[in-house]
Amino acid sequence: MTEATGIRVVAIADADSFVKWAASLLGSVPGLRPHLLLVRTPLTASVEQQRTALAGTTLGPDDITRIGFAETAAWLAGQRPDVVLLAGRGPFVRLMGRVIDALEHRPVTVSGLPGMAIPAQRGALDYRRHTDLLVVHSHREVRAFEELGRRIGVQTPVALATLPFARRRQRMLRPERMRVDAASGGRGGIAVAERPAPARPPATDIVFAAQALVPVGKDERAEIAAMLLRAAEAEPARRVVVKLRSRPGESETHLEREPYAGMLPSRPPRNLVFSYDSMSAALQTAAGLVTVSSTAAIEATALGVPVIALDSFGVSKSLLNTVFVGSGLLGGRSEVVAGRFRHPHPDWLRDNYFHPEGESTWWERVEQLVALRRSGALPARRVPAARGGALHEAWHRASVLGAEDRTVPGAVALAVGAPATRAMAAVRTRRAPADGGTWSDASTDYTLEPNPFDDSLRR
């Protein structure tokens, strides 16, 4: 670690998307050379996923330490960082928070989400409520998480950062580089960015950013696979690239129950290909990107690559695509096949990830918190003891660590807890509001009920 204004920073992560986010976010701070502590869990990025996630960031091999959970407390005690960025799914953040609670030299703790976070979900905030700062990436997300906090009684400070993958677009959106073609007039027009001269190979690919969580249904995912096949057959000279996050045998942040690889023909057209490279590399030759609701849409927009956010299955919080309402990016499968991609409307950009850099004040907030901690004026936000006592705490730990937890209490807790959690999930399903509750409320950007995804940490 080296210091920016004398501040030592460590990021603790496991899954690939959080590795990419943490490295990119901290790499945006001038003069900072952070260290990444990669803790072994069932979700931990493989060496190849790590390479892909760190592509284009400031972190090199010497800035990464792979470590077992049991070693983290001693490592942190020896390094004495001023700031720890907890970069993982909610239960991982809570578990690492317990480690930090035991340190004599307590760092400032920062947490966040690795991409678009609309709707703001109760669990996402609740698991991170004991960190000193929650980082989000748009003015809309700030409002959503602050309102969610008021609704559930959580007072975690929220700070705005620029999504690391959205920076290039800000330089492109100078007045001389932008015009608006109003396809239907007024605010409903489609913005068409005049790109600067590209220093890259010819851009002809259609890139599909696959997601593990949405759409959930096998039939809907099969319809997407069929769309990709039609797009490849419609124009054999154009590649259709299915961008995946994990190779067979690797894990990723969320659990994919219906992989696209199993839904496409065993011998697809030669121009229908899979890619495990970084999204930034895939976009270098992209004429357009299609997704349901991946943050890759923001990364593509940042590079001036036009986008279609699929609305073929509707627009809803459960599809995570309500953020695109008003963007001009929503479109159907036939438009993908025809190659009718588009750029977002300028009116949508500022509130949704493309605010001016000067409005991103998260690092200034971190510096203030460090000053308070050094002066003894920042109270510790500790993770409370598990309500079920030691067995419940062992369950939390074993759920996150999987086979990496070799303790007897962990094994007992999993044996007892797995059927109990299945029963509790069934009860929650029966008690869920018939109308979908806040997950069906299009007038808000937050949800209060548990999310509808079958996305267990246990693999």
Side-chain angles (χ1 to χ4, degrees):
M1 289 178 292
T2 57
E3 293 84 5
T5 61
I7 296 177
R8 297 162 61 85
V9 181
V10 170
I12 305 179
D14 63 344
D16 64 308
S17 61
F18 283 98
V19 172
K20 175 180 176 180
W21 171 73
S24 300
L25 179 70
L26 294 177
S28 70
V29 180
L32 185 69
R33 188 179 175 186
H35 198 86
L36 175 62
L37 199 60
L38 203 54
V39 177
R40 289 193 295 271
T41 76
L43 306 186
T44 300
S46 69
V47 173
E48 280 301 308
Q49 286 175 308
Q50 174 187 311
R51 179 192 60 78
T52 300
L54 298 182
T57 73
T58 59
L59 271 68
D62 293 340
D63 302 315
I64 316 295
T65 298
R66 286 180 172 262
I67 198 170
F69 172 74
E71 306 164 79
T72 55
W75 192 94
L76 290 168
Q79 294 293 325
R80 294 173 61 89
D82 297 295
V83 179
V84 171
L85 174 63
L86 296 173
R89 289 181 58 176
F92 179 88
V93 171
R94 178 178 58 190
L95 180 63
M96 295 303 150
R98 294 190 189 282
V99 174
I100 287 168
D101 286 347
L103 296 177
E104 182 179 353
H105 174 79
R106 184 180 181 88
V108 169
T109 54
V110 181
S111 61
L113 297 158
M116 297 188 299
I118 295 291
Q121 298 180 37
R122 182 177 191 140
L125 179 58
D126 210 23
Y127 276 117
R128 296 168 175 84
R129 66 189 300 167
H130 303 292
T131 58
D132 297 307
L133 191 68
L134 175 69
V135 173
V136 298
H137 301 101
S138 74
H139 287 293
R140 183 173 177 177
E141 289 183 359
V142 170
R143 294 193 302 272
F145 276 94
E146 289 181 341
E147 177 61 22
L148 175 61
R150 287 190 287 270
R151 294 279 178 168
I152 65 175
V154 172
Q155 297 180 334
T156 300
V158 179
L160 180 64
T162 300
L163 191 66
F165 327 121
R167 285 193 177 83
R168 295 187 193 181
R169 176 67 174 194
Q170 292 173 319
R171 293 197 292 272
M172 292 175 61
L173 286 180
R174 298 171 184 150
E176 67 270 21
R177 289 198 183 276
M178 193 71 189
R179 63 186 173 86
V180 176
D181 288 347
S184 56
R187 295 175 65 87
I190 296 173
V192 180
E194 291 182 344
R195 300 186 197 176
R200 61 182 186 181
T204 58
D205 295 347
I206 290 178
V207 176
F208 170 59
Q211 294 166 270
L213 292 183
V214 295
V216 173
K218 182 176 182 178
D219 290 345
E220 294 168 333
R221 295 173 80 84
E223 288 182 38
I224 290 178
M227 172 198 75
L228 298 172
L229 186 60
R230 289 198 304 274
E233 293 172 340
E235 194 169 331
R238 172 186 66 189
R239 288 202 318 165
V240 176
V241 180
V242 183
K243 171 65 183 72
L244 303 176
R245 299 196 69 95
S246 58
R247 299 164 183 81
E250 293 178 331
S251 295
E252 57 185 270
T253 305
H254 299 291
L255 181 60
E256 185 174 38
R257 297 189 180 276
E258 301 291 347
Y260 286 102
M263 296 185 171
L264 289 163
S266 58
R267 299 181 64 182
R270 293 182 63 182
N271 61 324
L272 178 56
V273 300
F274 292 99
S275 171
Y276 302 100
D277 211 338
S278 68
M279 180 56 70
S280 60
L283 290 172
Q284 289 303 308
T285 53
L289 176 125
V290 57
T291 187
V292 175
S293 52
S294 169
T295 302
I298 303 304
E299 193 166 352
T301 297
L303 292 171
V305 175
V307 172
I308 290 177
L310 280 176
D311 62 3
S312 301
F313 313 110
V315 177
S316 67
K317 289 177 178 176
S318 60
L319 286 168
L320 309 178
N321 62 354
T322 55
V323 69
F324 293 117
V325 172
S327 69
L329 298 179
L330 292 166
R333 297 190 297 274
S334 62
E335 293 177 282
V336 175
V337 175
R340 293 195 291 268
F341 296 87
R342 67 285 309 267
H343 295 278
H345 196 287
D347 290 348
W348 179 84
L349 291 169
R350 181 164 187 151
D351 206 34
N352 293 277
Y353 310 105
F354 293 99
H355 53 272
E357 186 76 34
E359 295 174 7
S360 294
T361 58
W362 76 277
W363 182 250
E364 288 84 348
R365 297 280 295 278
V366 170
E367 291 177 314
Q368 293 164 7
L369 290 169
V370 170
L372 288 172
R373 175 58 44 78
R374 288 173 173 173
S375 70
L378 183 66
R381 300 171 67 96
R382 296 184 180 277
V383 180
R387 286 177 293 179
L391 189 63
H392 196 188
E393 189 167 330
W395 159 258
H396 286 164
R397 184 182 63 249
S399 295
V400 173
L401 298 179
E404 289 295 319
D405 182 82
R406 298 179 177 90
T407 65
V408 173
V412 172
L414 284 180
V416 173
T421 54
R422 286 194 293 269
M424 290 172 61
V427 170
R428 283 197 301 267
T429 299
R430 288 195 297 271
R431 292 180 177 175
D435 62 357
T438 53
W439 278 92
S440 298
D441 183 359
S443 68
T444 68
D445 274 337
Y446 62 84
T447 59
L448 299 177
E449 300 83 13
N451 72 57
F453 310 117
D454 185 7
D455 187 29
S456 173
L457 285 170
R458 297 184 299 282
R459 303 294 168 90

PDB file of all heavy atoms in Angstrom, residues 64-79:
ATOM      1  N   ILE A  64      -2.080  -7.715  -4.942  1.00  0.00           N
ATOM      2  CA  ILE A  64      -3.131  -8.681  -4.627  1.00  0.00           C
ATOM      3  C   ILE A  64      -2.586  -9.722  -3.657  1.00  0.00           C
ATOM      4  O   ILE A  64      -1.489 -10.245  -3.841  1.00  0.00           O
ATOM      5  CB  ILE A  64      -3.631  -9.416  -5.893  1.00  0.00           C
ATOM      6  CG1 ILE A  64      -3.826  -8.441  -7.063  1.00  0.00           C
ATOM      7  CG2 ILE A  64      -4.897 -10.214  -5.600  1.00  0.00           C
ATOM      8  CD1 ILE A  64      -4.893  -7.426  -6.848  1.00  0.00           C
ATOM      9  N   THR A  65      -3.351 -10.020  -2.627  1.00  0.00           N
ATOM     10  CA  THR A  65      -3.036 -11.123  -1.718  1.00  0.00           C
ATOM     11  C   THR A  65      -4.247 -12.027  -1.619  1.00  0.00           C
ATOM     12  O   THR A  65      -5.342 -11.570  -1.277  1.00  0.00           O
ATOM     13  CB  THR A  65      -2.666 -10.612  -0.310  1.00  0.00           C
ATOM     14  OG1 THR A  65      -1.499  -9.793  -0.396  1.00  0.00           O
ATOM     15  CG2 THR A  65      -2.409 -11.773   0.636  1.00  0.00           C
ATOM     16  N   ARG A  66      -4.060 -13.309  -1.950  1.00  0.00           N
ATOM     17  CA  ARG A  66      -5.111 -14.314  -1.750  1.00  0.00           C
ATOM     18  C   ARG A  66      -4.919 -14.923  -0.368  1.00  0.00           C
ATOM     19  O   ARG A  66      -3.803 -15.297  -0.011  1.00  0.00           O
ATOM     20  CB  ARG A  66      -5.052 -15.378  -2.839  1.00  0.00           C
ATOM     21  CG  ARG A  66      -5.567 -14.890  -4.189  1.00  0.00           C
ATOM     22  CD  ARG A  66      -5.496 -15.969  -5.252  1.00  0.00           C
ATOM     23  NE  ARG A  66      -6.174 -15.527  -6.464  1.00  0.00           N
ATOM     24  CZ  ARG A  66      -7.408 -15.848  -6.808  1.00  0.00           C
ATOM     25  NH1 ARG A  66      -8.110 -16.670  -6.049  1.00  0.00           N
ATOM     26  NH2 ARG A  66      -7.946 -15.385  -7.920  1.00  0.00           N
ATOM     27  N   ILE A  67      -6.009 -15.080   0.350  1.00  0.00           N
ATOM     28  CA  ILE A  67      -5.879 -15.422   1.758  1.00  0.00           C
ATOM     29  C   ILE A  67      -7.104 -16.197   2.224  1.00  0.00           C
ATOM     30  O   ILE A  67      -8.204 -16.062   1.669  1.00  0.00           O
ATOM     31  CB  ILE A  67      -5.710 -14.110   2.572  1.00  0.00           C
ATOM     32  CG1 ILE A  67      -5.152 -14.358   3.958  1.00  0.00           C
ATOM     33  CG2 ILE A  67      -7.012 -13.336   2.646  1.00  0.00           C
ATOM     34  CD1 ILE A  67      -4.757 -13.074   4.690  1.00  0.00           C
ATOM     35  N   GLY A  68      -6.929 -17.026   3.224  1.00  0.00           N
ATOM     36  CA  GLY A  68      -8.048 -17.705   3.852  1.00  0.00           C
ATOM     37  C   GLY A  68      -8.684 -16.820   4.909  1.00  0.00           C
ATOM     38  O   GLY A  68      -8.037 -15.928   5.483  1.00  0.00           O
ATOM     39  N   PHE A  69      -9.945 -17.071   5.193  1.00  0.00           N
ATOM     40  CA  PHE A  69     -10.659 -16.232   6.161  1.00  0.00           C
ATOM     41  C   PHE A  69      -9.960 -16.214   7.512  1.00  0.00           C
ATOM     42  O   PHE A  69      -9.851 -15.160   8.155  1.00  0.00           O
ATOM     43  CB  PHE A  69     -12.096 -16.748   6.316  1.00  0.00           C
ATOM     44  CG  PHE A  69     -12.854 -16.086   7.421  1.00  0.00           C
ATOM     45  CD1 PHE A  69     -13.318 -14.789   7.277  1.00  0.00           C
ATOM     46  CD2 PHE A  69     -13.089 -16.748   8.625  1.00  0.00           C
ATOM     47  CE1 PHE A  69     -14.009 -14.151   8.308  1.00  0.00           C
ATOM     48  CE2 PHE A  69     -13.771 -16.123   9.661  1.00  0.00           C
ATOM     49  CZ  PHE A  69     -14.238 -14.829   9.504  1.00  0.00           C
ATOM     50  N   ALA A  70      -9.468 -17.345   7.956  1.00  0.00           N
ATOM     51  CA  ALA A  70      -8.850 -17.430   9.282  1.00  0.00           C
ATOM     52  C   ALA A  70      -7.612 -16.549   9.402  1.00  0.00           C
ATOM     53  O   ALA A  70      -7.196 -16.202  10.521  1.00  0.00           O
ATOM     54  CB  ALA A  70      -8.492 -18.881   9.600  1.00  0.00           C
ATOM     55  N   GLU A  71      -7.027 -16.163   8.259  1.00  0.00           N
ATOM     56  CA  GLU A  71      -5.804 -15.355   8.275  1.00  0.00           C
ATOM     57  C   GLU A  71      -6.071 -13.856   8.188  1.00  0.00           C
ATOM     58  O   GLU A  71      -5.145 -13.048   8.337  1.00  0.00           O
ATOM     59  CB  GLU A  71      -4.902 -15.758   7.109  1.00  0.00           C
ATOM     60  CG  GLU A  71      -4.563 -17.237   7.031  1.00  0.00           C
ATOM     61  CD  GLU A  71      -4.006 -17.603   5.669  1.00  0.00           C
ATOM     62  OE1 GLU A  71      -2.800 -17.331   5.463  1.00  0.00           O
ATOM     63  OE2 GLU A  71      -4.749 -18.130   4.828  1.00  0.00           O
ATOM     64  N   THR A  72      -7.309 -13.471   7.930  1.00  0.00           N
ATOM     65  CA  THR A  72      -7.575 -12.068   7.621  1.00  0.00           C
ATOM     66  C   THR A  72      -7.345 -11.146   8.808  1.00  0.00           C
ATOM     67  O   THR A  72      -6.805 -10.051   8.655  1.00  0.00           O
ATOM     68  CB  THR A  72      -9.017 -11.880   7.100  1.00  0.00           C
ATOM     69  OG1 THR A  72      -9.942 -12.415   8.052  1.00  0.00           O
ATOM     70  CG2 THR A  72      -9.203 -12.558   5.765  1.00  0.00           C
ATOM     71  N   ALA A  73      -7.738 -11.573  10.002  1.00  0.00           N
ATOM     72  CA  ALA A  73      -7.594 -10.700  11.166  1.00  0.00           C
ATOM     73  C   ALA A  73      -6.127 -10.370  11.426  1.00  0.00           C
ATOM     74  O   ALA A  73      -5.763  -9.203  11.644  1.00  0.00           O
ATOM     75  CB  ALA A  73      -8.225 -11.354  12.396  1.00  0.00           C
ATOM     76  N   ALA A  74      -5.263 -11.390  11.375  1.00  0.00           N
ATOM     77  CA  ALA A  74      -3.834 -11.152  11.612  1.00  0.00           C
ATOM     78  C   ALA A  74      -3.233 -10.287  10.513  1.00  0.00           C
ATOM     79  O   ALA A  74      -2.391  -9.412  10.781  1.00  0.00           O
ATOM     80  CB  ALA A  74      -3.100 -12.487  11.715  1.00  0.00           C
ATOM     81  N   TRP A  75      -3.651 -10.521   9.276  1.00  0.00           N
ATOM     82  CA  TRP A  75      -3.125  -9.720   8.160  1.00  0.00           C
ATOM     83  C   TRP A  75      -3.495  -8.250   8.342  1.00  0.00           C
ATOM     84  O   TRP A  75      -2.654  -7.368   8.194  1.00  0.00           O
ATOM     85  CB  TRP A  75      -3.670 -10.255   6.848  1.00  0.00           C
ATOM     86  CG  TRP A  75      -2.990  -9.713   5.622  1.00  0.00           C
ATOM     87  CD1 TRP A  75      -1.946 -10.259   4.940  1.00  0.00           C
ATOM     88  CD2 TRP A  75      -3.314  -8.486   4.934  1.00  0.00           C
ATOM     89  NE1 TRP A  75      -1.601  -9.462   3.868  1.00  0.00           N
ATOM     90  CE2 TRP A  75      -2.420  -8.363   3.842  1.00  0.00           C
ATOM     91  CE3 TRP A  75      -4.268  -7.486   5.135  1.00  0.00           C
ATOM     92  CZ2 TRP A  75      -2.459  -7.295   2.961  1.00  0.00           C
ATOM     93  CZ3 TRP A  75      -4.301  -6.409   4.257  1.00  0.00           C
ATOM     94  CH2 TRP A  75      -3.405  -6.325   3.183  1.00  0.00           C
ATOM     95  N   LEU A  76      -4.774  -7.992   8.653  1.00  0.00           N
ATOM     96  CA  LEU A  76      -5.222  -6.609   8.836  1.00  0.00           C
ATOM     97  C   LEU A  76      -4.548  -5.969  10.042  1.00  0.00           C
ATOM     98  O   LEU A  76      -4.178  -4.790   9.997  1.00  0.00           O
ATOM     99  CB  LEU A  76      -6.741  -6.571   8.993  1.00  0.00           C
ATOM    100  CG  LEU A  76      -7.548  -6.885   7.730  1.00  0.00           C
ATOM    101  CD1 LEU A  76      -9.012  -7.113   8.069  1.00  0.00           C
ATOM    102  CD2 LEU A  76      -7.413  -5.759   6.701  1.00  0.00           C
ATOM    103  N   ALA A  77      -4.366  -6.733  11.122  1.00  0.00           N
ATOM    104  CA  ALA A  77      -3.712  -6.192  12.314  1.00  0.00           C
ATOM    105  C   ALA A  77      -2.268  -5.801  12.001  1.00  0.00           C
ATOM    106  O   ALA A  77      -1.753  -4.795  12.519  1.00  0.00           O
ATOM    107  CB  ALA A  77      -3.752  -7.219  13.440  1.00  0.00           C
ATOM    108  N   GLY A  78      -1.613  -6.575  11.134  1.00  0.00           N
ATOM    109  CA  GLY A  78      -0.243  -6.255  10.762  1.00  0.00           C
ATOM    110  C   GLY A  78      -0.136  -5.068   9.828  1.00  0.00           C
ATOM    111  O   GLY A  78       0.807  -4.273   9.917  1.00  0.00           O
ATOM    112  N   GLN A  79      -1.104  -4.906   8.917  1.00  0.00           N
ATOM    113  CA  GLN A  79      -1.045  -3.827   7.934  1.00  0.00           C
ATOM    114  C   GLN A  79      -1.597  -2.511   8.470  1.00  0.00           C
ATOM    115  O   GLN A  79      -1.227  -1.442   7.991  1.00  0.00           O
ATOM    116  CB  GLN A  79      -1.829  -4.237   6.682  1.00  0.00           C
ATOM    117  CG  GLN A  79      -1.223  -5.401   5.933  1.00  0.00           C
ATOM    118  CD  GLN A  79       0.113  -5.047   5.306  1.00  0.00           C
ATOM    119  OE1 GLN A  79       0.332  -3.929   4.857  1.00  0.00           O
ATOM    120  NE2 GLN A  79       1.026  -6.011   5.284  1.00  0.00           N
TER     121      GLN A  79
END
